[in-house]
Amino acid sequence: MKLKIFILLFTFSIVQIFATGQEPDKIIINNKEYDLLNNPLEKYFEEHPDDHPIYGNKLSEFKQYKNGEQMIYFSTSNSRDYIATFKIENAVLSLVDLTIRDLNSEKEHFVSVYKKLFGDQKIVLNYSGILVIPTGKLIKAADFGYSSLHEQYKLITINNDTVVREKDLNKDDFIKFKFRQFYQYKNTEEYKIRLKNYIKDWEESKKSELSKENTKGMSKKEITALKKEYEQPPTEDYINGYFFTVDNPDFVIVDY
């Protein structure tokens, strides 16, 4: 099973399917900024939706977009629609900045909205999970998610915003860690829901793609090819390979 997932991981990086490489959040440690391959604010925004810079209710400039009066463009390389910057100081994780795309610029220029959203308030994230920070040379780039491979990583386990453990790993030990974390992830309710939704989305996609409305005007050859694509549902190995590559179950605490 390990070998199958490992092969799928790099197969996906070659065929470039389903998703786009994501622009990471940032983290400052000892006055040095790193990319962060986690998004600690996602859970925070689930619990505090009004604080979201785009979909919350605090920034008035987005009202016209929410009402459908004007279209808004965001890059597919940033599905979160923001970039957060965190800091670890005195063994405590905190949010120090939050930027979004400048609506008044045609370029992908980001501006800070932290003060507008939070003022001088200190945000309690209540984050628990394992932060993944690439610290070594990029070995293999990937075109989706955070699936690129680096020579070295720093892992930091956080419990309610407090650092409880950290360790530097080479790429081989990091991959072993990812396998252990994924196996534990498969036992969670989150994984079961994710699997159920994936299958449901595939079935809905099949129904839509093969509908008379969608195939109207297509040649018999094109319809046959499309039917062949949906001939068999995705296998468990295929789905797990995709989840292993794309998902980021940082809430699953395992040894490393």
Side-chain angles (χ1 to χ4, degrees), residues 214-227:
N214 187 64
T215 56
K216 184 170 57 177
M218 294 175 65
S219 67
K220 288 184 177 180
K221 185 177 180 180
E222 289 172 328
I223 294 174
T224 300
L226 188 59
K227 284 182 177 180

Side-chain angles (χ1 to χ4, degrees), residues 37-40 127-132 181 248-253:
L37 306 188
N38 310 83
N39 307 118
Y127 173 81
S128 294
I130 299 178
L131 300 180
V132 177
Q181 190 180 52
N248 186 10
D250 55 347
F251 63 93
V252 180
I253 309 295

Side-chain angles (χ1 to χ4, degrees), residues 17-155:
I17 63 171
F18 298 134
T20 303
Q22 291 298 295
E23 190 166 3
D25 283 338
K26 306 294 181 180
I27 189 166
I28 300 170
I29 303 174
N30 295 327
N31 297 318
K32 184 176 180 179
E33 186 177 272
Y34 300 88
D35 288 342
L36 176 62
L37 306 188
N38 310 83
N39 307 118
L41 274 188
E42 290 297 274
K43 185 174 184 298
Y44 175 86
F45 285 142
E46 288 179 11
E47 298 172 353
H48 305 84
D50 281 348
D51 286 348
H52 197 288
I54 310 299
Y55 308 108
N57 296 313
K58 291 187 175 181
L59 298 184
S60 59
E61 54 261 48
F62 283 100
K63 287 183 179 178
Q64 59 183 324
Y65 299 99
K66 293 176 187 175
N67 296 336
E69 298 172 11
Q70 191 170 341
M71 293 294 291
I72 185 168
Y73 165 79
F74 291 109
S75 171
T76 55
S77 65
N78 190 332
S79 60
R80 305 183 310 284
D81 302 329
Y82 67 81
I83 296 175
T85 301
F86 301 89
K87 187 175 185 178
I88 290 180
E89 191 171 34
N90 298 323
V92 175
L93 176 71
S94 62
L95 175 69
V96 294
D97 200 9
L98 184 62
T99 63
I100 63 172
R101 189 173 182 271
D102 186 357
L103 300 180
N104 298 314
S105 173
E106 294 182 358
K107 298 180 180 180
E108 290 196 22
H109 176 61
F110 280 74
V111 293
S112 177
V113 292
Y114 183 92
K115 285 288 185 181
K116 285 185 178 182
L117 285 169
F118 307 119
D120 296 324
Q121 177 186 358
K122 182 179 179 180
I123 304 304
V124 178
L125 299 170
N126 286 323
Y127 173 81
S128 294
I130 299 178
L131 300 180
V132 177
I133 303 162
T135 56
K137 181 181 177 182
L138 176 67
I139 297 175
K140 188 176 184 66
D143 291 326
F144 53 93
Y146 296 139
S147 52
S148 294
L149 187 64
H150 293 75
E151 284 186 345
Q152 197 81 12
Y153 294 84
K154 179 182 286 293
L155 301 187

